[in-house]
């Protein structure tokens, strides 16, 4: 009898490395979920910045509203800044993210100053327009898929049982937000997502690419920005493969459409 999996969370992170929010449904497109990581913060040399360099970024949340996306200080939500859903005009700048250089649009000096004050470092806020081209790694392409400002792939999925297994090994349990997944599902054994290949969520087809390689961002408390050794210290004892700690599965959408929490995840093929 085939195992039944159900989509329990859909998470969107509009600005790379800032806080995200959960939604009941979302459109799954080529570059990722609608609004996911179409914004990125860079230094003054136009190179991307994440919580790896500035853990204080964890204290900036995002929320979805009718008039756009609010950035806000988690500890003082009334301190907020509105950015639009998309930007069509602005200074075009080639921004660096890992090995890629992507066309991006500089939003505003006002946004730069607001974020610089929050992060205690000079920075710029950049938007990825539709004209920007950033392909998924060539080895994984099916239909010339693109990726937003996410690290390497448009989507990340993790099972609830995987986090539960990890938490059973930790002295202090951690929440799922340490791992920043787009999709969370229930059902199945811990790390069952490691074996997935082709799958369907609702009416949308996805293909697993490779396990997600974890970094020190997982050690940052997303509510306080404090840094610890866990969960990497424990994960290294049983999820270390070739000196890479793996947790969760990167995927990309082969077809596009709307998905919602509660959708059944159907396995079409396992590795």
């Amino acid at each position: 009898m085939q195992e039944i999996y159900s989509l329990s969370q859909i998470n969107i992170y509009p600005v790379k490395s800032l806080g995200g929010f959960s939604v009941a449904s979302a459109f799954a497109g080529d570059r990722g979920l609608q609004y996911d990581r179409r914004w990125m913060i860079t230094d003054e040399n136009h190179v991307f910045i994440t919580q790896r360099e500035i853990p204080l970024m964890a204290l900036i949340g995002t929320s979805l509203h009718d008039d756009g996306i609010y950035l806000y200080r988690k500890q003082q939500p009334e301190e907020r800044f509105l950015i639009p859903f998309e930007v069509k005009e602005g200074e075009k700048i080639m921004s660096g993210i890992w090995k890629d250089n992507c066309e991006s649009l500089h939003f505003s000096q006002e946004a730069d100053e607001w974020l610089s004050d929050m992060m205690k470092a000079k920075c710029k806020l950049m938007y990825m327009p539709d004209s920007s081209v950033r392909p998924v790694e060539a080895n994984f392409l099916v239909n010339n898929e693109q990726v937003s400002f996410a690290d390497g792939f448009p989507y990340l999925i993790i099972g609830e049982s995987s986090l539960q297994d990890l938490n059973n090994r930790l002295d202090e349990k951690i929440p799922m937000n340490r791992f920043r997944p787009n999709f969370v599902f229930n059902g199945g054994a811990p790390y069952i997502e490691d074996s997935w290949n082709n799958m369907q969520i609702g009416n949308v087809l996805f293909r697993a690419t490779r396990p997600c390689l974890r970094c020190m961002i997982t050690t940052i408390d997303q509510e306080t920005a404090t840094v610890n050794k866990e969960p990497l210290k424990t994960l290294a004892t049983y999820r270390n493969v070739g000196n890479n700690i793996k947790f969760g599965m990167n995927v990309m959408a082969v077809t596009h459409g709307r998905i919602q929490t509660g959708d059944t995840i159907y396995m079409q093929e396992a590795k």
Side-chain angles (χ1 to χ4, degrees):
M1 184 176 179
Q2 188 175 27
E3 186 82 42
I4 296 176
Y5 313 98
S6 177
L7 187 64
S8 56
Q9 286 182 31
I10 302 173
N11 300 311
I12 296 172
Y13 310 89
V15 184
K16 184 177 181 64
S17 223
L18 298 191
F21 53 81
S22 297
V23 294
S25 67
F27 183 83
D30 188 31
R31 301 178 195 238
L33 293 172
Q34 187 177 23
Y35 311 129
D36 189 66
R37 296 179 177 95
R38 293 301 291 264
W39 295 86
M40 179 173 72
I41 299 170
T42 72
D43 61 20
E44 294 185 292
N45 295 317
H46 310 127
V47 177
F48 79 118
I49 303 173
T50 70
Q51 292 181 35
R52 298 172 185 87
E53 297 80 33
I54 304 180
L56 283 175
M57 293 175 74
L59 300 184
I60 305 174
T62 60
S63 58
L64 187 66
H65 295 265
D66 292 340
D67 53 348
I69 296 166
Y70 278 101
L71 315 182
Y72 65 91
R73 187 193 296 267
K74 289 183 180 179
Q75 296 169 337
Q76 294 174 290
E78 66 279 4
E79 291 192 34
R80 62 185 190 176
F81 190 95
L82 179 66
I83 60 175
F85 294 121
E86 62 178 334
V87 177
K88 295 185 178 180
E89 296 181 354
E91 180 187 5
K92 291 184 179 180
I93 295 174
M94 297 302 290
S95 298
I97 172 170
W98 297 115
K99 296 180 180 180
D100 300 325
N101 283 297
C102 304
E103 175 188 306
S104 58
L105 298 178
H106 180 229
F107 179 47
S108 73
Q109 183 67 32
E110 186 181 7
D112 296 348
E113 292 173 355
W114 190 89
L115 284 164
S116 295
D117 180 64
M118 291 286 176
M119 294 166 51
K120 311 302 180 188
K122 290 287 186 180
C123 64
K124 293 178 177 291
L125 181 61
M126 312 301 296
Y127 178 79
M128 176 182 278
D130 289 341
S131 58
S132 184
V133 178
R134 188 178 178 225
V136 168
E137 289 184 31
N139 291 343
F140 301 99
L141 289 174
V142 177
N143 298 315
N144 297 315
E145 287 81 8
Q146 301 281 319
V147 60
S148 64
F149 287 134
D151 276 351
F153 295 95
Y155 301 91
L156 172 64
I157 188 167
I158 299 176
E160 293 177 1
S161 61
S162 301
L163 178 63
Q164 182 177 353
D165 180 78
L166 169 60
N167 275 328
N168 288 340
R169 302 166 189 261
L170 297 175
D171 293 332
E172 295 186 15
K173 298 183 186 302
I174 61 172
M176 186 66 84
N177 66 12
R178 292 286 190 96
F179 299 98
R180 303 175 67 81
N182 296 111
F183 302 144
V184 179
F185 68 93
N186 56 44
Y191 317 110
I192 187 66
E193 57 269 31
D194 290 352
S195 66
W196 290 359
N197 190 2
N198 294 322
M199 71 198 81
Q200 180 175 333
I201 304 177
N203 295 315
V204 182
L205 301 178
F206 292 87
R207 172 168 291 184
T209 56
R210 67 181 184 199
C212 185
L213 310 182
R214 306 317 311 210
C215 69
M216 64 83 64
I217 290 180
T218 61
T219 68
I220 301 172
D221 188 311
Q222 296 297 296
E223 301 305 318
T224 66
T226 56
V227 183
N228 206 320
K229 293 181 179 180
E230 295 292 6
L232 289 184
K233 180 181 177 181
T234 295
L235 284 170
T237 65
Y238 74 107
R239 295 289 295 175
N240 192 333
V241 180
N243 292 321
N244 290 309
I245 296 173
K246 300 181 178 182
F247 192 88
M249 177 62 70
N250 290 306
V251 301
M252 59 189 187
V254 178
T255 63
H256 306 148
R258 182 160 291 273
I259 60 174
Q260 61 186 15
T261 55
D263 277 349
T264 299
I265 302 175
Y266 301 95
M267 287 302 102
Q268 296 195 330
E269 183 183 352
K271 293 179 181 177

